[in-house]
Amino acid sequence: MVLGSTLLDFVMEEQNKGPGRELSFVVGGEVNIRQDPWWWLVVAVAAIIGLLVILWPVPFRDIVVFARDGVLVTVLVTIASYFLMVIVGLLGGLGRISRNKFIFGISSLYVEVVRGIPLLVQLIGWYFVSPVIIQKLGLWLNLQSLVEYRANPIITAIVAITICYGAYMSEIVRSGIQSVPRGQMEAARSLGMSHFQAMRHVVLPQAFRVILPPMGNEFVSLLKDSSLVSVVAVADLTRRGREFMAAHFNPIETWLMVALLYLIMTIIAARVVSYIEKRSKYERY
Amino acid sequence: MAGPIIQIKDVRKRFGRVEALRGVSLDVNEGEVVVIVGPSGSGKTTLLRCINRLEEYEEGTIVVDGMTLDNTNNINAIRSEVGMVFQSFNLFAHLTALQNLVLAQRTVRKRSREEAEKVARALLAKVGIPEKAKAHPAQLSGGQQQRVAIARALAMNPKIMLFDEPTSALDPEMIKEVLDVMTSLAKEGMTMVVVSHEMGFARAAADRVIFMDEGLIIEQATPQEFFENPREERTRLFLSKILHL
């Protein structure tokens, strides 16, 4: 219980410090356990994982060793799709506020359709449909390399997640841009700046601060949803866990460890997100 | 320059069913200070916003500094010659006062950082708040924000300044500091079109006062004539309401 009470102490202490304290969170510009008590949760989860591995190497150490490449795949899929989906979301969000009816129509259709289909269904769909499309394209263009195309699970998974999350991101970007008062754009335009310049220098920087928290949430959600890629033959953490369980018949220990490994990744991500948020808040004033 | 710097001919503008401007013609000469007054909904703000095409109009023509406002001319080039000051200041919230003045100089006028900052500091001094260069808009009072906004427009070296009710959103004790800046600008010979309810400013600084109602110019005259001897019945009615006679 020592750890638990320390955590509580820190939370209480932090609350007692009052609003004046918040600014000093970031002055040093480095991640510091003393300044953000929730880092103790990260320490606690890491300690539990460590204890389990040391005290019961069989099966916990075996699970970690077996699934470590799965962790890497999960991280790779998450970061790659996050990066791409932010780009898609930026374009989609700009499309959703476009005055050009064609661009607005296309991006709205994309958002509405993709948001209405479960990610799992999209993943399976792309996995089976995309090779057929590419092979047909190969036949049509008479390109042998395309005809022999077989689905690459990881790339398919990244593309599917990017398309799905890009739709949600589009709406986040759209709402962020629309939260910036109209007068900001008008003032920039009245000074002779082009629409693009006004967007880039005036509207988007302000929208970015608004969308930072939901963007952070998207990262944590994406990390968790990346477990769905295990159904399309990507050897991520979840799939490696299933393989280990099938070989050793110990579902309770396996899924406990898999859950802890996901948890440590998500809470670290959440801490980093909150750190960035606090930093950007500070810069505002 | 030959002829008026702003030529507005028979401009019409409607918002849905409402006709905001019903054929307005107005010439403004270089160096002239024109104050437009009128009840709310009379179209005075709309007319002002048409002059730099923040509002598009259906009929008529507007020529600014020899350039016709239509799709054939580069609207950004015209706007960079026409400074605009808004009722709600519209300072860029994420930038400091200095950066507010520098941004358009860099992106539109393509000035170097050193030159832009030099201009910016000189203008902040001119509007009386050189010490606020590093402050963000949220840290400034309304009067200070509006003075920064005026300086931001001046940083582009505009030939014309448009003011859209620049003191309407201010607390009473801050109105004077903004009007003082505007008055000194008028004395320097800046061409100004001002929509305002500040009759004191109109009396002191205007060359011409224009009264608008229901999308039309009803009367225009020198301040003295306008306030002391208005010709139109509607002008008299309006003045009696706002001057508490």
Side-chain angles (χ1 to χ4, degrees), chain A residues 25-26 31 36 38-39 42 78 82 208-223 265-281:
Chain A
F25 256 109
V26 287
V31 181
D36 181 354
W38 288 107
W39 278 102
V42 178
T78 302
Y82 188 75
F208 180 68
R209 273 153 220 225
V210 176
I211 67 177
L212 207 59
M215 268 178 81
N217 291 341
E218 288 298 283
F219 184 82
V220 175
S221 299
L222 202 160
L223 179 58
M265 288 193 278
T266 52
I267 57 183
I268 288 175
R271 286 307 87 214
V272 172
V273 168
S274 106
Y275 170 72
I276 295 171
E277 260 172 50
K278 273 166 190 155
R279 233 180 106 102
S280 78
K281 241 183 228 150

Side-chain angles (χ1 to χ4, degrees), chain A residues 203-262:
Chain A
V203 176
L204 285 181
Q206 293 183 62
F208 180 68
R209 273 153 220 225
V210 176
I211 67 177
L212 207 59
M215 268 178 81
N217 291 341
E218 288 298 283
F219 184 82
V220 175
S221 299
L222 202 160
L223 179 58
K224 290 183 290 180
D225 278 353
S226 75
S227 64
L228 292 173
V229 304
S230 61
V231 300
V232 291
V234 176
D236 75 327
L237 176 54
T238 302
R239 190 179 179 91
R240 293 297 276 166
R242 234 166 42 198
E243 288 169 5
F244 189 88
M245 177 185 71
H248 298 84
F249 310 107
N250 45 6
I252 294 175
E253 293 88 341
T254 306
W255 293 112
L256 174 66
M257 186 49 83
V258 168
L260 284 169
L261 290 173
Y262 272 113

